[in-house]
Amino acid sequence: MLDQEISKLGYGAWGLSGELGAYDRGEARRSILAYLEGGGSFIDTARAYGESERLIGETLREWTGAPPVVATKVQGHGPNRRWGSPWPVEEVFPPGSIRASAEESRRLLGVEALDLLQLHLYWPTWGASGYWLEELHALREEGVVRRIGVSLPDFRHEVGLPAVLWEIVDSVQTIVNVFDPLALDCLVPMAAERGITVIARGALDEGGLSGAIDADSTFREGDIRNVYFAPENVAQYPQRLERLRRFVPEHASSLANLALRFAAGQPGVTTVIVSMASEQLVRENLATFAEPPLPPDVVDELRTRDRWVRNFFTPAYWR
């Protein structure tokens, strides 16, 4: 279990993939170092995140402090719609591809062993056995990886329940935020009960819960938020955000502060990964995570009165 080894704030490297817009490589390296200097100890990346593994590896060679726990994800194969509905495991992770991806990640990160290797997609239709799980177990037994996990495709947290119930993984990664806290009902407590690490992502709803994005926002070509925040998706966003402002500034200094503290304060959530490819964002987030938890009545009100269950990722799967 990673709970005693990693910080509550995790460094999410999706922002280094280019899918959230361009970033400055030098500034990104400085952000990683600032995160580590501030006490951060968990970095989450993936083979699919562009040059992120190479950049992280180069940066960690500059770091002279205690090494962080670094998690990465296996490169998946197949059409984009594999994220939308169950796809044969033989096509997403063909035999041998898990090992090949792990070895490439190990080379780029410059480590002898991967602290955590996650499947970048998981469907319960794959069952609790098979060559794919045997490959993961073999890599763990050989010392190529220390722990194995699964990253769920989107807000559909329920697809991770079988892996948790079968106890075939060491960690599960899922979306947890104010608008969609459903993973907190079953997946998170059941994982915690079994000693399975819970990595929460999407706490800011791809930036929407920061209050900085609305129906008029524009993004660079290739930025996934062009689809996620399409006008038809965010028509209700201003109204939903306005409701949350009732907690600012009495209980939180900003909407982003409220959203991050909501996710971080949930029992069973081990770490919350946040994309922050700038020093400023790192320092702001470190300060936020140093604050005390939100009052229980505020958390309960957010979970029960402000949930907005929807999946803005869906159009991206079928485009």
Side-chain angles (χ1 to χ4, degrees):
M1 192 174 184
L2 289 166
D3 293 43
Q4 305 306 314
E5 302 177 38
I6 61 179
S7 53
K8 183 64 77 169
L9 172 63
Y11 187 101
W14 189 27
L16 307 182
S17 69
E19 288 191 65
L20 297 177
Y23 65 91
D24 179 85
R25 188 179 178 86
E27 177 66 13
R29 291 175 72 158
R30 289 189 293 273
S31 74
I32 296 170
L33 293 172
Y35 168 74
L36 298 173
E37 289 165 0
S41 59
F42 182 68
I43 298 175
D44 177 83
T45 187
R47 276 274 54 243
Y49 294 171
E51 290 293 300
S52 68
E53 288 180 320
R54 186 187 302 278
L55 176 59
I56 291 167
E58 292 171 353
T59 305
L60 291 181
R61 285 191 282 278
E62 298 178 28
W63 175 242
T64 57
V69 172
V70 180
T72 192
K73 306 180 193 76
V74 179
Q75 178 73 59
H77 300 261
N80 206 46
R81 61 180 181 272
R82 72 185 186 277
W83 297 95
S85 58
W87 203 258
V89 66
E90 295 83 4
E91 297 184 34
V92 180
F93 300 114
S97 65
I98 293 173
R99 178 177 292 274
S101 181
E103 292 292 0
E104 182 66 1
S105 291
R106 189 164 62 154
R107 183 184 71 82
L108 290 169
L109 289 167
V111 296
E112 291 186 9
L114 300 170
D115 295 318
L116 172 62
L117 181 67
Q118 307 158 91
L119 292 185
H120 206 159
L121 181 62
Y122 170 76
W123 293 108
T125 51
W126 298 347
S129 63
Y131 74 88
W132 57 276
L133 190 58
E134 291 170 3
E135 283 191 35
L136 287 170
H137 286 175
L139 290 168
R140 188 171 58 182
E141 291 166 8
E142 295 167 18
V144 175
V145 304
R146 295 190 175 95
R147 299 174 183 85
I148 59 175
V150 292
S151 180
L152 309 183
D154 49 42
F155 292 90
R156 290 167 290 176
H157 62 93
E158 66 275 9
V159 304
L161 284 172
V164 167
L165 289 170
W166 294 328
E167 299 184 42
I168 59 175
V169 293
D170 301 308
S171 72
V172 60
Q173 182 172 147
T174 187
I175 291 173
V176 174
N177 64 44
V178 168
F179 283 156
D180 195 337
L182 295 188
L184 301 173
D185 293 343
C186 293
L187 180 68
V188 173
M190 292 171 73
E193 184 180 279
R194 291 160 176 77
I196 295 172
T197 294
V198 175
I199 302 168
R201 71 175 192 270
L204 289 175
D205 198 26
E206 310 313 324
L209 279 165
S210 71
I213 295 174
D214 57 32
D216 297 322
S217 297
T218 58
F219 307 96
R220 293 184 179 89
E221 184 178 354
D223 191 317
I224 194 171
R225 289 173 296 182
N226 283 312
V227 176
Y228 194 84
F229 291 113
E232 63 271 21
N233 283 349
V234 296
Q236 296 184 51
Y237 231 94
Q239 178 184 354
R240 296 279 181 171
L241 290 178
E242 192 59 37
R243 281 181 47 80
L244 297 179
R245 294 186 194 280
R246 69 189 186 276
F247 297 110
V248 180
E250 181 180 359
H251 296 293
S253 59
S254 66
L255 289 175
N257 179 284
L258 179 75
L260 291 175
R261 288 169 62 203
F262 172 83
Q266 299 299 333
V269 170
T270 307
T271 187
V272 180
I273 54 174
V274 185
S275 292
M276 41 188 173
S278 74
E279 286 185 86
Q280 179 181 346
L281 285 175
V282 167
R283 300 193 194 288
E284 289 176 358
N285 290 333
L286 285 169
T288 293
F289 276 69
E291 294 182 42
L294 293 169
D297 59 325
V298 171
V299 173
D300 183 67
E301 190 169 342
L302 286 168
R303 281 188 64 173
T304 57
R305 294 185 58 193
D306 292 285
R307 61 176 60 192
W308 179 21
V309 179
R310 73 284 185 274
N311 193 348
F312 286 173
F313 283 111
T314 301
Y317 303 146
W318 314 111
R319 62 183 173 184

